[in-house]
Amino acid sequence: MTVIKKNMVFFGLTTLIVLIFSVSSFAVVEGVRVSTPDTCWYQGNMIAFPINIEWTTWSQRTQCNADYLVRPYHDTLGDYYPYCNMESSPDEDMCSFDMEVSFDRNVLQAVTVSNSDMLDDDWHWGDVYYEINNSAGTIKISIAAAECKDLTRLTDPEELVKIGFLIVGDPGDDADFNITSFVYNEVDPWFVYIDDEQDLTYVDNQSIGDFIVCETLFASGRITYMANGYPICDADVTLHYIADPHAVNPPNIDDITVQTSCELIGDDEDRRGSYFLPDVTSEYHYRLGAWKDTQDDYDQAITAFDASLVLRHMVGLFEFTDYHHFVAADVSGNGEVSAYDAALILQWLVGDFDYFPKKRSAGTNWVFSIYDDDEGLPPREMYDWNPLTSNKPGSDFYAVILGDVSGNWYFSDENGMPKVASPIGLSLKAAGMEGSQQVYELISNGGDAYSAQFTVNAQSGDVQVTAANSDWFLESARNGDDVLVAVAGTSVSSDGVLARFVVDQNVEFTIDDLIVNEERSNTRLVSKGLGSLPSAFALGNNYPNPFNPTTTISYSVPVAADINISVFNVIGQHVATLASGYHDAGVYEVVWDGTNASGTTVSSGVYFYKMTGTDKPETKKMMLLK
């Protein structure tokens, strides 16, 4: 860091009675000192700049021939020596203060003034009053309290107030920050400076140091999702020092790691996805990289549809037009895209492994690349500075989740896009016999289906699951009583059939966690009763009831029909749609998780669920308890 002058502000040298009997007498001086710390900061950043207060006792030699006193107030300065025989005691308690500061408005712009923790938590004073005038480069600060506080206990500098500044100057600029006055309890103390030759100098209330914009090196940038530009929060960005192998006794310099910001400041400034690495020691070799690992992100972004896109790309039915397609599809990390990458995506979906081969050693499925249209695979993932000799603003990364070929990951927070289940027209249909075993078909009733993934649960016996189309690839894995299945292909499923299930006649099973292409459904399909189709439309009782946090609703469809299952509150307002669209004849179940159409959890109370699309709509009541 560039060396800067010590930025200390001495105020209020109020003194005890001091006896001095010679020309070079020894004076004990006691009183209040207000100061600012040595500091510099970086262009474009917000800082909380502290002003400190302390009670000090120290000694200096003076040129007074008699008692010397620095008074806790002053009038006309006149000659120093008439004050040498005056006596006064300092105010040891503080009940109020008034302060005025000045600064270079071309370097700093004040934003706010706030209490320190000492004023808030220790003293329990109210908020400071302040007036900012950025055009003049001044701030007036004032506070008063009913309870006075003992200043003599402040033997070390304590924060008094904090000023929020935006740094608008250039590196090396001097902010000319001064405390032009400080008055407490109507005491307007002098500032006295005794130089190296023991000359007494009256300097008034002002700073004697510099607050400058830093000239040390820094790196900064932003991380966004390559497919859609959404910001990436909470990613680790690390500046790694690389020692020169030919150097004798190279220095030990610690790596610097920061996280990308998740702050959205007002309506104008979006810091999400940004990072700032300060105080970098120059003239050494560095490598800059990013890292993140969040399972929820993977579950949201990676589907069997991504495997389908890879397969279709390989046979010329889907064109990879954007660089993110190639980066996300190369999950093996061999620098090419092949059908093997599609197989790895399907295997990951059924839980064969946690991380794709490309990033397995790093413990993540995120790739952070330095985007270049002309680059091939694999992408360049690091900045290398050999050596680092200048600031590096704009060191941006572009993020991709391996396997998210479609690029459907999105940034989500409390104000972001909700992860909402889509009402997809799905059904389970009895399709005949194979010897003594029953055959069922999982059918999508709307749109072109290239992929599906789901969980099968059979309470007793086994379920054999096969792909419906000969050119579809299927992966499955057992997880306790559940079988996880992912299936994808290059062509649209024949007659909407996504998969076939073969079971013994006495085996019942359910299908949950359904995703077709990239649409998620909260419908549960059940095999029970499909051998003998229901004779009438019926809406079953939800179970459990009352419930928290989920409940299951069953319904029967005797003939093919467009069915809608929706939830309403007690005043008839629509809350959520649980199922909607074409249904083959059969028995169905749908799960409600207590959220509305936006994905927000609703409050406790009575709700109604209604089945329409039948000869006679049917409504039943349920209760959510928390």
Side-chain angles (χ1 to χ4, degrees), residues 62-80:
T62 75
Q63 292 184 342
C64 288
N65 294 319
D67 297 350
Y68 167 64
L69 179 69
V70 181
R71 296 169 52 187
Y73 54 87
H74 66 81
D75 38 42
T76 304
L77 175 61
D79 189 271
Y80 296 123

Side-chain angles (χ1 to χ4, degrees), residues 32 53-54 92-97 115-126 143-154 158-161 182 184-185:
V32 176
I53 187 171
E54 62 182 310
E92 296 182 350
D93 292 333
M94 184 166 75
C95 315
S96 66
F97 68 82
N115 289 19
S116 65
D117 291 340
M118 181 181 72
L119 287 186
D120 278 341
D121 301 336
D122 297 342
W123 291 8
H124 303 292
W125 282 17
I143 190 173
E147 183 179 358
C148 301
K149 292 299 180 180
D150 180 8
L151 295 176
T152 62
R153 75 165 188 84
L154 304 179
E158 300 262 1
E159 279 191 11
L160 185 63
V161 293
F182 180 80
Y184 77 101
N185 300 355

Side-chain angles (χ1 to χ4, degrees), residues 312-328:
R312 290 156 63 193
H313 167 74
M314 297 308 300
V315 298
L317 296 176
F318 180 81
E319 182 181 0
F320 282 4
T321 57
D322 295 321
Y323 188 51
H324 82 264
H325 289 141
F326 294 95
V327 177

Side-chain angles (χ1 to χ4, degrees), residues 11-34:
F11 292 104
L13 307 185
T14 59
T15 67
L16 298 176
I17 298 174
V18 182
L19 298 178
I20 303 176
F21 296 103
S22 65
V23 173
S24 296
S25 300
F26 194 73
V28 178
V29 185
E30 184 175 51
V32 176
R33 181 167 71 173
V34 181

